[in-house]
Amino acid sequence: MKAYFTIAVQPLFVLMWSSAFIAGIIGVGAAPPMLVLLGRYVIGGALLAGYAWAVRATWPRGQTLRHVVIAGLLMQIVQFGAFYTAMSHQVSGAVIALIQGLNPVLIAVFAGFLGETVTARQWAGFGIGGVGVAAAVVDQSNFSVAGLLLCLLGLFGLSMGTVYQKRFAPQVDSRASTAVHALASAPIAAVLVLATQQWQIRDLPHFAAALTWIVLVNSVAAFLLLNAMLRRWDATRVGRLFFATPAVTALLAWLLVDQPLRPLTIAGLGVGVLGLVLASARPQSAGRPAPQPVAAR
């Protein structure tokens, strides 16, 4: 059973994580981005809260709860609000996956918050990863400056939210914190829907299918699988799986939503992943454990 788990779970997780970008593209093609967010957080938040309650997770309280809410708004509203809106600007799923994959690198830039240092190898990885992103973006036929800026904003939200939670609420039960992230984000998403006055669903079947996948597979199942892997393996081994996400996303986008996969895009993805690999080894400062990845699906 243990050998089967090791062999099967890793490609399954990469496929599930990569599919989030495809489901997002389908979702924002059928309804406004903020409406997709609202559905995600209302339904996903309820399911995650029910799971946290069922397993008797310890819920954050007081000042810790406030910190978890702030981190959640950064990782959920800022990240996915920006990424979903970028999708509506025709930014490809592969490019978004590659930019999101730069999260550990950006965290390294903010390493002072975590008591770490940034090595020359990490800076080299950051530069190489940036070149890969640029090549993949330039090759897109529907290149959008606004879409690229939105992707960078989403990356900033994910990275800052991760750093903030590790700095101010590092010991919070991840099962409860993920539920708090979604539940705190739901009313903000509702306000954004009302503010933009975009609540018309253009394609109900595709919207329902995408939202079902986003909630059940990406927000719940992938989160449970990630935590199961972290209980069995160290964070470095699990973190390596994310290197495959941009390439798998590009392939899925080509197969399922007809996004082009041209030579320069492939080269950019390859260079970008090389940058991620170089930047993945973060030094561990004395007396502090290496930071663990935070689920943000």
Side-chain angles (χ1 to χ4, degrees), residues 22 25 90-95 135-143 246-267 269:
I22 311 305
I25 290 168
Q90 308 304 314
V91 179
S92 75
V95 169
V137 167
V138 168
D139 196 40
Q140 302 304 302
S141 58
N142 295 317
F143 175 74
V248 174
T249 300
L251 182 59
L252 291 176
W254 177 61
L255 291 172
L256 300 178
V257 293
D258 200 28
Q259 290 192 343
L261 192 57
R262 291 185 288 269
L264 186 56
T265 301
I266 296 173
L269 291 172

Side-chain angles (χ1 to χ4, degrees), residues 151-236:
C151 287
L152 295 177
L153 176 62
L155 172 62
F156 177 82
L158 171 60
S159 301
M160 284 304 300
T162 303
V163 170
Y164 187 93
Q165 180 148 322
K166 290 181 186 303
R167 175 66 177 83
F168 294 105
Q171 303 301 324
V172 175
D173 190 312
S174 62
R175 298 166 296 184
S177 67
T178 305
V180 170
H181 290 175
L183 293 174
S185 298
I188 304 301
V191 170
L192 291 173
V193 170
L194 293 174
T196 58
Q197 297 186 350
Q198 294 182 353
W199 46 68
Q200 298 82 9
I201 298 175
R202 298 179 292 274
D203 187 336
L204 182 58
H206 281 86
F207 172 73
L211 188 60
T212 299
W213 188 272
I214 288 170
V215 169
L216 296 182
V217 176
N218 306 137
S219 295
V220 177
F223 160 73
L224 296 177
L225 193 56
L226 176 63
N227 279 276
M229 291 189 296
L230 288 173
R231 286 194 296 269
R232 289 169 171 80
W233 306 323
D234 63 81
T236 301

Side-chain angles (χ1 to χ4, degrees), residues 11-90:
L12 176 62
F13 175 76
V14 171
L15 187 62
M16 291 169 64
W17 195 270
S18 301
S19 71
F21 301 97
I22 311 305
I25 290 168
I26 295 172
V28 301
M34 296 305 114
L35 191 61
V36 177
L37 274 187
L38 178 60
R40 172 192 183 121
Y41 296 139
V42 169
I43 302 172
L47 292 175
L48 288 167
Y51 168 73
W53 176 81
V55 298
R56 300 178 184 274
T58 302
W59 292 85
R61 300 178 183 276
Q63 186 67 24
T64 300
L65 176 59
R66 286 190 285 274
H67 289 316
V68 172
V69 168
I70 292 171
L73 294 179
L74 286 167
M75 285 192 280
Q76 298 294 332
I77 291 295
V78 177
Q79 179 196 186
F80 288 110
F83 283 157
Y84 283 7
T85 306
M87 291 175 186
S88 70
H89 283 265
Q90 308 304 314

